[in-house]
Amino acid sequence: MLRILSLGIISFFAFNLSAKEMIHEKLDQLFYDQVKKLESGSLEERIQAADYLKFVTSKLAVRPLLKALKGNPNVPKSDENSPSLKFVIAQALGAMESDVSGPGMVEEIKRASALVQENDQPTFSAPDGYNLVISTGELLRNVGLLPYTKENQDAIIAGLSHPNFYIRASAADGLKNLNRKDTLSQLNSAIDKEKNPFAKVAILNAIVYINRIANQKFHDLCAFLKDESPMVRYRASMAVGEVDLKAGEYSLREALLIEHDQIVREQIKKDLANVTGFKMPANTPFYFKD
């Protein structure tokens, strides 16, 4: 009886181990299938592969992603150089937080930012997807998520003086993600010179996020909730919600009273909920949800 019981237990564990091995094998195969698509698939397949690799956040994907980030310099209009693809790759590398990613991302930031002109506008939605302004900005944001190196920091700081307002704003986001007090001097210097409202909000966001103090800079940030541009108001609301200081509640409530733009209004609601600490329970009936 004991022998039968022992054989049963051994068989049970052996089955479990075999099942786990099969699961791991399938996951490994899926991983390498995505890497193959990243290297030689259609543009849509490459983007989906990079998005999958971002989701699994396996550091095994860092080098294939860096290779894809380089694109094809010999064929400028190749799908391999698509800004939409590089946008997702930047996010994936940022999510993996590997120090190996730094040099490749910095090299691409320098190459791409040199091509962005002062009057180029960020394209958030178009038939061809994101444009170069958007993908370059995403690289600056995500290099700030990597482990600190002086080279990474210097590349982001250089973006603060770029002629294009969106690149300057993205550089501020990168420094916010880096979250180092030794960058406050550059940020304070940048805010004194900045004329563009969108970039101003991003720089103030970085300063307040690093300081975590409801000082004059924080109130300057809240004031942009009254800006004429919906895009600026949207960005200001995100900033106030992200900083998550209780002092932002009053400004968000005041903004909600007069906000007529539906997209901005929904964003203010989300950020107000974040600042006040209110969270809707997951099992709340749908008719009680906003």
Side-chain angles (χ1 to χ4, degrees), residues 161-182:
S161 57
H162 195 280
N164 187 279
F165 82 94
Y166 189 82
I167 301 301
R168 297 195 300 275
S170 301
D173 289 339
L175 292 178
K176 177 194 67 181
N177 291 338
L178 201 61
N179 197 16
R180 290 176 61 89
K181 287 188 178 292
D182 61 351

Side-chain angles (χ1 to χ4, degrees), residues 152-205:
N152 292 355
Q153 180 171 297
D154 287 347
I156 303 172
I157 289 172
L160 284 177
S161 57
H162 195 280
N164 187 279
F165 82 94
Y166 189 82
I167 301 301
R168 297 195 300 275
S170 301
D173 289 339
L175 292 178
K176 177 194 67 181
N177 291 338
L178 201 61
N179 197 16
R180 290 176 61 89
K181 287 188 178 292
D182 61 351
T183 64
L184 283 171
S185 60
Q186 286 92 347
L187 286 164
N188 282 310
S189 176
I191 197 64
D192 290 338
K193 295 181 287 187
E194 188 56 63
K195 303 297 182 185
N196 182 276
F198 186 90
K200 270 192 172 183
V201 169
I203 297 169
L204 285 169
N205 185 191

Side-chain angles (χ1 to χ4, degrees), residues 18-156:
S18 177
K20 287 181 180 178
E21 286 175 358
M22 288 177 64
I23 291 171
H24 283 302
E25 284 179 8
K26 287 182 178 179
L27 288 174
D28 283 348
Q29 186 59 51
L30 181 58
F31 172 82
Y32 286 111
D33 285 346
Q34 299 307 312
V35 169
K36 185 175 180 180
K37 288 179 181 178
L38 184 65
E39 293 175 344
S40 57
S42 66
L43 176 58
E44 184 178 355
E45 286 175 332
R46 289 173 192 264
I47 291 172
Q48 289 175 350
D51 199 46
Y52 170 84
L53 295 171
K54 175 184 72 175
F55 175 74
V56 298
T57 63
S58 169
K59 287 185 169 59
L60 292 175
V62 169
R63 296 189 190 282
L65 284 165
L66 285 171
K67 182 180 178 182
L69 184 64
K70 288 183 177 180
N72 186 344
N74 298 319
V75 187
K77 293 187 177 181
S78 166
D79 285 348
E80 297 167 77
N81 299 320
S82 164
S84 291
L85 174 59
K86 296 196 177 190
F87 176 92
V88 182
I89 291 173
Q91 290 187 334
L93 290 170
M96 292 168 194
E97 299 182 2
S98 170
D99 57 353
V100 175
S101 301
M105 292 180 76
V106 167
E107 181 182 346
E108 181 62 20
I109 286 169
K110 291 177 179 178
R111 185 201 68 80
S113 60
L115 299 175
V116 177
Q117 303 300 306
E118 180 177 358
N119 294 322
D120 290 348
Q121 294 296 312
T123 302
F124 297 94
S125 178
D128 296 329
Y130 297 129
N131 66 358
L132 183 65
V133 181
I134 295 287
S135 62
T136 306
E138 203 62 21
L139 280 161
L140 282 162
R141 287 191 192 91
N142 282 277
V143 80
L145 296 173
L146 305 183
Y148 170 79
T149 68
K150 186 177 183 302
E151 290 74 20
N152 292 355
Q153 180 171 297
D154 287 347
I156 303 172

Side-chain angles (χ1 to χ4, degrees), residues 222-235:
C222 292
F224 280 97
L225 289 166
K226 300 177 182 179
D227 194 85
E228 291 183 6
S229 166
M231 186 171 78
V232 173
R233 297 197 302 275
Y234 183 94
R235 184 68 176 79

